[in-house]
Amino acid sequence: MVPVEAPYDDRLLHQRVVGGDESALGEVYDRLSSLIFGLSLRVTRDRVIAEDITQEVFLVFWERPLAYDPERGTLRAWLATIAHRRAVDHVRAEERRRVSVLGPRLFEREPARLEDTVLAADEAKRVRQAVTSLPDGLREAVELAYFGGRTYRQVGEELGVPEGTAKSRIRLALRRLADALAEEEV
């Protein structure tokens, strides 16, 4: 791999931080903190955690400035790499914590009672019958949206109708289904 030299400005700021110049750290922070915060926020999706990671990244640079090697790349890339790794580590740790807390409960299910299974099957049958009794345009729209997982825009495209019409058809179909199922006490 060919070494990538950091720009002169990075080298100078690095040397100043190595020498204990707090104002140099402030300059690095002013220049790169929004990048580090944004990257951390994108990975963690949590502002507080992203703020903590941003602070940690600059603390690492302040406490161990010799860990950065200007011969290997820019200060921006090095700090961004640290931030990304910390953010990913946080997300993985949170996921492990969530699985360890919920783990056994996620996979254990109470056996369904026969009565509940029969009632659910009956309700599903009534819903299917109510859907098939809808006029074609409404039925197609609601089937694409709810059984096909499409957005109203996608429904409009597939049916060749404007988005507003697709949205109206879905809304009207749902209203008719609700009325029909309420009459049957479903």
Side-chain angles (χ1 to χ4, degrees):
M1 184 169 110
V2 177
V4 177
E5 282 192 25
Y8 177 74
D9 189 40
D10 279 0
R11 289 175 173 276
L12 185 59
L13 282 171
H14 178 242
Q15 289 170 356
R16 288 175 51 203
V17 171
V18 168
D21 184 351
E22 290 180 23
S23 65
L25 180 64
E27 289 177 41
V28 173
Y29 182 86
D30 291 344
R31 194 172 74 188
L32 299 175
S33 62
S34 61
L35 166 77
I36 301 305
F37 175 77
L39 176 64
S40 301
L41 182 61
R42 236 183 338 250
V43 174
T44 65
R45 296 188 172 148
D46 184 316
R47 293 187 71 77
V48 173
I49 300 301
E51 289 169 359
D52 289 346
I53 290 171
T54 301
Q55 186 176 14
E56 288 175 25
V57 167
F58 288 98
L59 186 62
V60 165
F61 183 49
W62 178 249
E63 290 178 343
R64 294 188 304 263
L66 293 174
Y68 167 62
D69 181 1
E71 297 296 320
R72 297 187 66 196
T74 65
L75 186 56
R76 172 189 177 96
W78 185 71
L79 292 174
T81 300
I82 293 171
H84 185 261
R85 287 179 180 162
R86 297 254 169 144
V88 168
D89 287 347
H90 172 79
V91 170
R92 287 178 179 159
E94 185 62 26
E95 186 62 26
R96 280 192 304 274
R97 186 194 65 75
R98 197 174 296 127
V99 167
S100 71
V101 169
L102 300 174
R105 286 183 243 146
L106 287 176
F107 302 106
E108 294 174 7
R109 279 199 173 158
E110 266 185 46
R113 295 186 343 214
L114 180 58
E115 179 183 309
D116 293 338
T117 304
V118 170
L119 287 174
D122 183 53
E123 284 182 2
K125 180 181 175 186
R126 289 180 180 184
V127 169
R128 279 193 301 274
Q129 287 173 343
V131 169
T132 57
S133 70
L134 290 170
D136 289 345
L138 299 181
R139 183 183 41 75
E140 290 171 339
V142 80
E143 284 177 343
L144 286 171
Y146 286 90
F147 301 116
R150 312 274 196 318
T151 65
Y152 70 90
R153 288 185 176 116
Q154 292 169 328
V155 170
E157 286 176 18
E158 287 193 36
L159 296 179
V161 298
E163 291 175 10
T165 301
K167 193 186 291 188
S168 296
R169 286 182 184 179
I170 294 168
R171 197 176 301 128
L172 181 57
L174 291 175
R175 190 174 309 122
R176 286 193 182 177
L177 286 173
D179 292 344
L181 295 171
E183 287 176 15
E184 294 185 34
E185 297 180 5
V186 176

